Amino acid sequence: MPYQVTIQPSGHQFTVEDHETILEAALREGFSLPYGCRNGACGSCKGRVLSGQLDYGVYQPNALKDAEKAQGRALFCRARPLSDLTIEAKEIGAAKDIVVKTLPCRVEKLEKRADNVMVMKIKLPANERLQFLAGQYIDFQLKDGKSRSYSLANPPHDGALLELHIRHLPGGLFSDQVFSTLKERDILRLKGPLGSFFIREDSDKPMIFIAGGTGFAPVKGMLEHAFAAHMDREMVLYWGVRSLKDLYMAELPQQWVAEHPNFSFIPVLSNPEQGDPWQGRTGFVHEAVMADFANLSGYQVYACGTPIMVDRARDAFTQTRGLPEDAFFADSFVYAADAEIAPAA
Ligand code: FES
């Protein structure tokens, strides 16, 4: 039967279903407890049980010594409640709390969602999981010593495979490879998580998300995390692309609109093709936001796209719409990635 778990000192509560470990349920509900392998081997998820009974599950003795167990400690990636529980655990609230790892990974799935967008899913070794905050990115480390940055498009609670949206820019060393020679089961090397593009959860301000092209990837992860965490803040997504075919996952935000009354979705085409059956918004994506909001002083804005889009949005919102500088979030990786894979830009 489901049991209620209370985390101290935060007082956060969540329900653990029959088939779940404490960690799985916490992540599903959007609470970032620390973890590493999620397999009872590393000890990263260790915390204290203050009251209640649990099944400790199967784990490696080095990860939880008998003396620690006697002191009320448990591995939350393996443990399941046998009653309502109160646990003591440090919730991760900032990127600095997360260990950056360098790991091999295997290409699990390659799915072309548009002419120039590949959705790639990668898998880590059996005993490894990547802890991250929704919206962060990883670097692929290439043989020439260079690296390429890609945002994680999945939320942390859905982390068995890592999802990346890769835009093909001809001449881009890595993206050319992804669209030609890279195959499922190939091995790559990644470093992460990196970046500070994640939802500031200590605020209750409404949020505007602006995605340009594959800038949708981190925003997807952030929104899926927000929905799982039952955030009731107003959320609006503006997704700017050139033409209709570039909205490579439009069915997903449309589904979120149907499921979440606090979410709305406004796709914006900058250059619709002749024949696009389009009666929606057109123009630059930040201008659509400007048209809809006379005053952004009470909002947070999360933007991911080309450097030009991000700069224009920041300047326009802070200079003409009253958005505080510290309420605009965009990750600098877009600059690095863009420079590396789009030298002609
Ligand atoms: S022992 Fe590694 S995450 Fe639990």
Side-chain angles (χ1 to χ4, degrees), residues 23 34-46 63 75-78:
L23 178 68
Y35 65 84
C37 66
R38 289 175 72 166
N39 202 22
C42 72
S44 305
C45 63
K46 203 181 306 176
L75 298 176
F76 295 139
C77 75
R78 304 305 276 178

Side-chain angles (χ1 to χ4, degrees), residues 19-181:
H19 59 282
E20 290 180 311
T21 65
I22 294 170
L23 178 68
E24 283 167 346
L27 295 175
R28 173 179 52 72
E29 294 280 328
F31 299 121
S32 290
L33 299 185
Y35 65 84
C37 66
R38 289 175 72 166
N39 202 22
C42 72
S44 305
C45 63
K46 203 181 306 176
R48 196 177 298 281
V49 180
L50 301 178
S51 69
Q53 275 86 50
L54 71 164
D55 170 356
Y56 286 84
V58 178
Y59 58 87
Q60 295 190 11
N62 277 349
L64 179 69
K65 304 209 169 56
D66 286 346
E68 294 175 313
K69 197 168 157 183
Q71 290 162 1
R73 313 257 273 166
L75 298 176
F76 295 139
C77 75
R78 304 305 276 178
R80 294 166 196 270
L82 298 173
S83 71
D84 288 348
L85 292 179
T86 302
I87 62 172
E88 185 181 76
K90 182 175 178 332
E91 285 168 77
I92 299 220
K96 67 175 172 42
D97 297 332
I98 300 178
V99 179
V100 176
K101 294 180 176 178
T102 300
L103 297 167
C105 59
R106 190 178 72 189
V107 178
E108 200 71 9
K109 199 158 187 234
L110 287 165
E111 188 186 357
K112 206 167 168 187
R113 295 294 298 241
D115 286 351
N116 61 354
V117 178
M118 188 77 81
V119 171
M120 178 160 91
K121 297 201 174 155
I122 55 175
K123 192 171 168 55
L124 298 179
N127 278 343
E128 291 285 359
R129 285 293 185 98
L130 193 70
Q131 176 143 37
F132 63 97
L133 298 175
Q136 288 192 290
Y137 68 92
I138 56 162
D139 276 352
F140 281 120
Q141 301 189 313
L142 307 185
K143 291 206 177 86
D144 62 2
K146 293 187 181 147
S147 62
R148 298 292 181 275
S149 305
Y150 289 97
S151 294
L152 294 160
N154 56 299
H157 67 271
D158 185 13
L161 297 178
L162 302 177
E163 177 180 327
L164 310 154
H165 299 178
I166 297 174
R167 181 171 171 224
H168 189 201
L169 290 163
L173 197 63
F174 184 69
S175 77
D176 263 356
Q177 187 188 340
V178 169
F179 278 78
S180 57
T181 53

